[in-house]
Amino acid sequence: MSASTVMAATDKVCTGDAALNKLEGYWSTSHFLKLLKKHGSWTAAMAATDDQQVALTVKDGRIKQNLAWHEGDEANYCLRLQGDKVWLLGDGKKRAEQGPYQRLGGHGQKEADLYLVRLIQGCFVSQEKEQWCFQDGKLSINGKPSNASLSLDLSELDLYGTPLRVEGRKLPFWYLVRRGDAWAVFEDDYASNEKRLPVDPKTSKPWRVLRKQ
């Protein structure tokens, strides 16, 4: 059943309503998705808007704002439905209506993947003859799946490029920085680490440079 068919039944649903079951999934503002396309960078898009309001999660009868993917949200909300989009209703005093939000995908998918696919897609080759392929928000290197995924929370990170969290390496992040048709990849650490060596994406030497295959 399409989202538009689901939403035709009512124009308002609130925390605890059974109708929320049909809206479960990840939602993002249309404005933020346009910023991702414009900037081609997770940090640049986040910096160009209110990162507390860019996304919603609907699950188990609850509506949660993602609050920059850093803080919890226990408030009760209502949504206004129109076509295939939703608006987070304001309280008429402190909070204005927010939106529109559009559905990115369901909980069977990883939220970070749903955003990364909008930033980078396709196969690339490094000078080291490695093949990096980004497909549906997932990365494989030389045909082997990588555990790297987009870091949605930027609270302890340096604000450049698109950070991928990667396990099992000396440094926990790969930052992707677009350079024309190529991508520079920088290895980096948490910005809060006092022993971190600062990276300047304009002057520092990339760890890898990926060129379109």
Side-chain angles (χ1 to χ4, degrees), residues 123-132 141-142 183 185 207-213:
C123 290
F124 304 81
V125 177
S126 70
Q127 292 179 321
E128 292 73 17
K129 307 303 182 184
E130 297 168 332
Q131 184 188 59
W132 291 48
I141 300 176
N142 293 333
W183 291 83
V185 183
W207 172 66
R208 292 286 190 274
V209 175
L210 308 178
R211 303 191 183 281
K212 189 71 175 178
Q213 188 172 0

Side-chain angles (χ1 to χ4, degrees), residues 25-69:
Y26 302 109
W27 297 74
S28 183
T29 64
S30 300
H31 175 65
F32 183 61
L33 297 180
K34 290 177 181 177
L35 289 174
L36 288 177
K37 183 177 181 179
K38 175 183 177 180
H39 293 285
S41 162
W42 183 252
T43 56
M46 289 274 275
T49 189
D50 183 346
D51 58 12
Q52 298 283 307
Q53 300 182 6
V54 296
L56 301 175
T57 297
V58 180
K59 185 177 183 180
D60 298 331
R62 292 191 59 81
I63 304 159
K64 292 188 176 183
Q65 284 195 283
N66 287 22
L67 302 177
W69 293 275

Side-chain angles (χ1 to χ4, degrees), residues 128-194:
E128 292 73 17
K129 307 303 182 184
E130 297 168 332
Q131 184 188 59
W132 291 48
C133 288
F134 295 86
Q135 184 174 11
D136 299 327
K138 301 181 184 298
L139 169 64
S140 64
I141 300 176
N142 293 333
K144 297 181 179 179
S146 169
N147 61 17
S149 62
L150 175 64
S151 179
L152 300 171
D153 183 359
L154 298 178
S155 59
E156 294 187 42
L157 305 188
D158 202 351
L159 300 182
Y160 70 94
T162 297
L164 304 184
R165 181 77 168 89
V166 57
E167 304 290 341
R169 298 182 60 83
K170 182 178 180 180
L171 294 176
F173 295 99
W174 290 332
Y175 280 72
L176 305 177
V177 177
R178 190 163 194 169
R179 292 181 174 175
D181 293 333
W183 291 83
V185 183
F186 297 91
E187 290 187 300
D188 210 339
D189 206 341
Y190 286 100
S192 57
N193 188 339
E194 295 180 355

Side-chain angles (χ1 to χ4, degrees), residues 52-53 56 63 65 67 73 75-79 87-99 101:
Q52 298 283 307
Q53 300 182 6
L56 301 175
I63 304 159
Q65 284 195 283
L67 302 177
D73 181 14
N76 290 330
Y77 295 110
C78 292
L79 298 176
W87 279 255
L88 191 70
L89 291 181
D91 58 14
K93 297 178 181 179
K94 296 181 179 179
R95 184 169 54 84
E97 184 176 273
Q98 300 169 23
Y101 295 83

